[in-house]
Amino acid sequence: MSDFRFLHAADIHLDSPLQGLARYDGVPLEEVRGATRAAFDGLVSLALTERVDFIVLAGDLFDGDWKDMGTGLYFARAMGRLAKAGISAFVLAGNHDAASVLTKALPWPESVKVFGSRRPETLSLPELGVVLHGQSFATQHVYDDLASRYPPLEPGAFNIGVLHTALGGAEGHAPYAPSSVAALQAKGYDYWALGHVHDFQRVSERPLVVFPGNLQGRNIRETGPKGAVLVEVQGREVADVQFMPLDVVRWSRVRVDCTGASSLDSVHAAVRQRLSEAHGREAEGRPLIVRVELEGEAEIAGALRDRAGLLRAEVQSLAAAVAPDLWLEKLNLHVHPPRATTSEALPDDLLALLAEAPDDPDLAASIAEDLRAFLNARSSAEDGESGELSAAAAGGDWVTVLRTAAETLPARLRVRES
Ligand SMILES: [Mn+2]
């Protein structure tokens, strides 16, 4: 058997729409919008430059039904580039591109082989002595243990299991096609090319069971480097497995501890330092989009809350100064006054009274009347949190509204005094 190399990717979610990103003013929308295709272009280029023999796409190539034929045509062209170089592609449908989900179809180049969805199918590359066992999802929600029906290994060949699965369950991922590492190991295959979990994970070493993670992070829940896995096989043994980052835009959460901060300047300094660290550590030459979380207990909490809208612009400006391709997705303010201040501001009997408001329409109406001026001032303050505050008021959550008022008002009064 000759030596060979292949690329294993999954969860590409081509042309995945951007949810809610439009309201994050300042983020490079065009770059993010085109990121899943740009990352896939990178995968094809890598296959060509590394001269791999084939690629494996282990589910969720598409993000769901195509909006139009553009997505399919894009993929057909990308596969054409591979076909010209004699590189085959083995494609398995996952929950997002199950047979029942995609209503449109196109004939792919002959170099693209798609696993059937009715039963496990074995595809092969006889010239390399490689067999691939896999079963596509027929419907979006597959709770059967698909792997249990995969065929026995083919002796003498290099056996690859291709499976879209949550294994024993993974946080944030639907428990589709459940299986276990032990069950996969017991099959005796040489490599398991998994998909579905959006983080790179070497689940087992012998044999290698690998989630490559998704190819491109699409939102703040998909942080860190994303890419594919390059596998090198020599003498029927996996000789090397390398994670190859291919994302063109990267996401990161940046937490800034504001504990003890006594001035706006010291908050700015802390933000600047954390942004600079995050950029240095994570960007690797790519645009980096960050969610900044200000945390901790500090006297300045009320003042920060009161200027939340302005603070967002300040953090955007600090980010731009660290690097022109460092962008703010969202600023979250979780700084609270030191505990003693909070309880002084909201005495127990007031809390008890507020707790009765939901059951007492007259009381609720009178509180709403008293707080209307405060709520109006807040919503006109171009403040990222005023929406949450209005929602709290509308829902009769007066404890939240008053707590915010109690934290904000002393700061505002101090400003007036000075
Ligand atoms: Mn999936």
Side-chain angles (χ1 to χ4, degrees):
M1 177 193 288
S2 56
D3 298 342
F4 59 90
R5 284 127 72 74
F6 65 95
L7 277 171
H8 163 205
D11 301 282
I12 291 130
H13 294 269
L14 272 178
D15 292 345
S16 166
L18 303 177
Q19 287 151 356
L21 206 61
R23 68 192 149 98
Y24 302 129
D25 144 59
V27 165
L29 281 179
E30 283 317 307
E31 228 158 334
V32 177
R33 197 167 277 138
T36 56
R37 282 195 193 191
F40 196 74
D41 286 344
L43 179 77
V44 171
S45 298
L46 184 67
L48 297 174
T49 55
E50 292 286 340
R51 309 171 68 87
V52 302
D53 295 274
F54 59 96
I55 70 170
V56 179
L57 304 176
D60 291 355
L61 164 63
F62 301 115
D63 191 59
D65 208 10
W66 308 335
K67 170 167 106 297
D68 52 42
M69 287 299 177
T71 305
L73 286 170
Y74 162 78
F75 178 67
R77 266 193 300 274
M79 291 301 100
R81 283 175 68 198
L82 289 184
K84 234 177 123 186
I87 300 171
S88 313
F90 296 92
V91 179
L92 182 121
N95 51 300
H96 278 92
D97 40 22
S100 67
V101 176
L102 290 187
T103 63
K104 304 177 186 73
L106 287 172
W108 304 131
E110 264 179 59
S111 57
V112 179
K113 313 265 192 297
V114 182
F115 290 98
S117 61
R118 294 180 58 189
R119 62 183 72 85
E121 185 176 3
T122 298
L123 303 170
S124 65
L125 280 168
E127 66 279 17
L128 294 178
V130 173
V131 293
L132 301 98
H133 314 285
Q135 181 175 356
S136 285
F137 278 34
T139 60
Q140 189 174 2
H141 309 290
V142 173
Y143 297 106
D144 301 339
D145 175 0
L146 297 181
S148 65
R149 292 191 296 273
Y150 277 25
L153 69 90
E154 211 161 282
F158 186 86
N159 287 254
I160 300 175
V162 186
L163 180 66
H164 199 74
T165 178
L167 283 183
E171 206 192 321
H173 296 86
Y176 296 143
S179 186
S180 68
V181 177
L184 300 186
Q185 285 168 336
K187 284 284 177 188
Y189 296 174
D190 300 286
Y191 183 90
W192 277 95
L194 305 187
H196 188 51
V197 172
H198 285 192
D199 293 304
F200 169 55
Q201 282 177 33
R202 289 169 75 127
V203 181
S204 145
E205 293 299 315
R206 287 195 154 265
L208 271 156
V209 179
V210 177
F211 284 110
N214 54 340
L215 200 62
Q216 168 63 59
R218 297 164 302 152
N219 54 54
I220 195 62
R221 290 187 303 279
E222 299 179 341
T223 55
K226 302 291 176 188
V229 174
L230 177 62
V231 184
E232 182 145 3
V233 178
Q234 289 170 2
R236 219 184 147 264
E237 298 271 332
V238 174
D240 193 27
V241 172
Q242 246 182 299
F243 174 76
M244 313 293 280
L246 288 165
D247 49 350
V248 297
V249 174
R250 200 162 278 175
W251 300 82
S252 173
R253 285 173 188 268
V254 177
R255 306 163 78 125
V256 183
D257 185 5
C258 297
T259 301
S262 55
S263 69
L264 195 56
D265 280 349
S266 57
V267 171
H268 285 172
V271 169
R272 186 185 294 113
Q273 188 190 337
R274 296 287 293 125
L275 283 176
S276 155
E277 285 166 8
H279 187 262
R281 190 176 56 236
E282 298 179 56
E284 295 185 295
R286 295 157 170 80
L288 186 69
I289 306 178
V290 295
R291 176 174 292 186
V292 173
E293 322 249 13
L294 301 187
E295 302 173 336
E297 291 190 355
E299 293 289 351
I300 200 174
L304 291 179
R305 226 163 235 281
D306 203 35
R307 60 185 284 121
L310 197 52
L311 197 59
R312 178 181 158 79
E314 288 163 357
V315 173
Q316 281 177 310
S317 174
L318 290 166
V322 168
D325 57 357
L326 178 61
W327 308 89
L328 179 69
E329 176 246 14
K330 195 174 184 188
L331 173 68
N332 279 344
L333 203 46
H334 303 300
V335 183
H336 296 286
R339 224 160 275 281
T341 320
T342 310
S343 60
E344 267 166 38
L346 279 190
D348 286 347
D349 48 351
L350 180 54
L351 286 172
L353 185 68
L354 288 170
E356 289 169 20
D359 300 321
D360 184 340
D362 290 343
L363 177 59
S366 104
I367 294 173
E369 191 54 44
D370 289 345
L371 286 174
R372 187 150 296 142
F374 170 69
L375 287 169
N376 286 343
R378 291 280 296 179
S379 59
S380 62
E382 189 203 326
D383 160 0
E385 282 179 301
S386 63
E388 289 166 36
L389 208 55
S390 306
D397 181 5
W398 301 113
V399 175
T400 297
V401 177
L402 265 200
R403 187 163 272 144
T404 307
E407 289 175 9
T408 308
L409 288 177
R412 194 166 269 194
L413 291 174
R414 273 199 296 277
V415 172
R416 291 254 171 89
E417 279 163 17
S418 61

